[in-house]
Amino acid sequence: MESETTNGATNGTAAGYGRACAACARAKCRCIYRPGDADCERCHRLGKECVPSVSVRKRNGKRAHVSRAAQLEAKLEDLVTLLRHQTTSTEKAPSPGDMGADGPASTPARSARSTTGQSERSSPRPMPAAALPPQPLDYPPGSIRPRAPVGPGTLLGSVFNPPASAPAAPTYEPVFPMRSPSMPSCSYQPHPLEAAEDLMTFRKYMLIFLPFVYLPPSMTSEGLRETYPFLWFSIMTVTCKHADRRLVMGEAVKSFLAQKIVIENDKSLDLLLGLIVILGWTQFHMKRDKPMLSMLASLTMSLVFDLGLNKVPAEPYISACLRTPVHPPVKEKTHAERRAVLACFLLTSQISYAIKRLDALQWTAHMDECLQALSEQREWEGDDLLVAQVKVQLIVEQLTRTSSQSTDGIPPGYVLSALRAQLQTLKAQLPPHLQQNDTILSQISYAEVAISEVAMSMPKTASLRLMPDMQRHEAMEACLSAIRDWFNRHFSIPNYVYIGKTFSYWFNMAHCLLVLARLSVLDDPAWSRQSVRDRIDLLAVLDQLGAGLEEVAAQRRLATGPTVEEDTFSKYVRMVQTMKNNWAEDLAATEGASRPSAPTLADAFIDNSAEAINVPFFQPDDTETWIAGLFDMNWDM
C-alpha cells in the first residue's frame, strides 16, 4: 500500500468516522477533502473516481422486553421437547407400514404449548404433541361392536353399510393439528383409528334417524375433517363413548360456538351442519343446571337466516333505488343446503313442541321448493326419509298452530279429523323402501298420539249430549293404539342401535309413557283400565325398557372403563326405574276401592327409593329445565 503524504493537510478537512469515500475506505486511509474540491486529496492525486461509501454502521435499537419468567419457561419447554423427542424416537422405530407418503407421522393428543404468548414466540421450534394413553380398540368379551348389520328395509341398513369396493381405513396415522381456526381447541383429540370407527358409527346408526347430510362411502374421516372440520368434531363429540372425554369435547364446542357465531359473527355451512349434530343428539351433553336447547335452536335458526337458506335472496333496496343495470344472478341451492334447512325445521319444530315456548323455523315457500327438489332429485335413500320426516312434522306443526289459535287451546273436532286423515294418506304414500322403516313409522305413530291426546283433552259435556263423549272415547282408543304401535316399533330395533337415536326420539318415548300412565289409571265409567293393561301393560313396558337400556349401559361401561361422569344410558335406566316404582303404587291403588287421579309429571319423577331421595329432579314451571333433568338426572344429593 502506497504511503500517504500529509502535504496540505492543514488546509483540508478530514472526513468524519464512517464518512470516507469508497477508495479510502477500502485502503483504510485517511480521507481528506480540500475546500472547493469535489474529490478527496488521495483520489485526486491517484486519478481515481471519488465515490462516497455506504455507511454500514449498526445502530442498536430498543430490544423487546422479555420477562425472566418467560425466558425460563421457554427454556423449560425446549428441554421438555428435547426429552420427549428422544423418548419417542427410542421407543419404536417407524416401520414402512407406518410411513406416509411424506414420512413418519405422529400421534395427535394434548397440546404441550404454553399459554404465554411470549414463550411461544421465544420457542420457534415446532412443539410435538404429548401422547395420550392409547385407547383400546378391541371390545371386551360380551360387548357388542357397533358394526353388526341392520336388516334392510327397517333402518336403511343396506344404505349405510359401505360396499365392498369402498376404500379401507388408512393404516398410517396422519398428523392432526391441535389448533385450527375452523375447529374447537380441545385437550382431547380422537386417535385416527378411533375417529374412523366413530365416523362409521355415525354413518350407520345415527344418520338412519336424522339423514341431514350425505356422506359418500368414499368419504374418510380425514377427508371429512378437511372439508367440514366443525362437523367432524361435532360427530366425534356425540359418538365418543367415554363420558368424561365427551364432556370435555362438549364444553369445547360451546366455547367455539360462542366465539365464532356470537363474537366473530361467522357463518358457514360447516357451522350449521355441526350445530345440527349438537342439537339433534343433545342428550349426550345436556346439563340440568344449564339447559341449552333454546339457545342451540336459536343459533341454528340464526345461521339459516344469515346464510339465506330459508328463502330466495331478494333484490337489495339500495340496488332498487339506484336502478343499477347489473344484478348478481340468484345462486342455486345445493342439496347439502336443502338438507340443512329442512333438518333445521325438523329439529326446531320438534323442540318447539316439547318446550312449548320456542317458535320453530317458519316454513316458507322456498323451503317447500327445497322439499320438492330433494324428493325429485334424491342422491341417496336418506333423502326420501328426510322428506317423509319433514312432511310428518308439518302435520304436527299444524296441530300446534291451530291449538295456539284456539280460545281454549283445543282445535275443533273437524280439524283433528283432517290432520289424522292427512297422516294416514302420507303413510300410504311412503316409498316402497320406507313402508317398513321403523324410524318414519314410529314418528307417524307419535304424531297420532299427539293428535289423539289433544282430542282427549276436550271437556266432558252433559249426559244428554253423548256425541262429544263418544268422540273423546274414540280418541282415547286411537291414542292407546298409537302408543302400542310406537313401543312395538321401539322393541323391534336392536339394542345396539340405541346409540344413534336422537333427542327427539327419547323425548317421544317419555311422552308416550306419560300418556300411557294416564290411560292406565283413568277414572271414567266408559273406560276400562283392565282392558288397557291387557293390551299394553305399563309395568311390563318399563321392565322391557329398563332391561334394554341396562344392557347398552353395561356394554358402554365395559368398553370405556370407570368414568367420573355417568353415561347417558345409565341415567336412562335410573329414570325408567323411578317411573316404575312410583307408578306401581298408583296402579296397585286402582285395584282397591280408592281411585287416585292420573299421575302428574312431578309425582312420576320423584325418587321414593330406599335412599330417601324425595326431591324432583326438575322444575315443573320450566319445561326446558324439566326436559334437561329428564335426560340428566343427578341423584347424588
Side-chain angles (χ1 to χ4, degrees), residues 126 170 221 233 264 564 621 634:
S221 175
F233 192 87
E264 299 180 9
V564 177
D621 57 342
N634 183 11

Side-chain angles (χ1 to χ4, degrees), residues 523-541:
D523 185 10
D524 193 322
W527 185 251
S528 174
R529 293 192 292 265
Q530 186 60 42
S531 176
V532 174
R533 299 176 191 177
D534 293 339
R535 295 169 60 182
I536 175 171
D537 188 1
L538 175 61
L539 299 183
V541 169

Side-chain angles (χ1 to χ4, degrees), residues 136 139-143 553-561:
Y139 286 81
S143 62
Q555 293 164 1
R556 290 169 71 88
R557 286 195 295 267
L558 287 175
T560 62

Side-chain angles (χ1 to χ4, degrees), residues 228 261 265-276 299-314 330-334 336-338 340-341 344 361 366 370:
Y228 295 119
I261 300 180
N265 194 24
D266 195 5
K267 53 184 178 181
S268 65
L269 183 62
D270 181 31
L271 283 176
L272 179 58
L273 294 177
L275 256 176
I276 291 175
L299 289 178
T300 307
M301 289 188 290
S302 67
L303 275 180
V304 170
F305 298 150
D306 291 340
L307 294 173
L309 301 182
N310 61 327
K311 59 182 62 177
V312 179
V330 178
K331 183 180 179 181
E332 182 72 14
K333 295 292 191 302
T334 63
E337 294 173 335
R338 294 188 180 103
V341 68
C344 179
L361 181 65
H366 181 66
C370 294

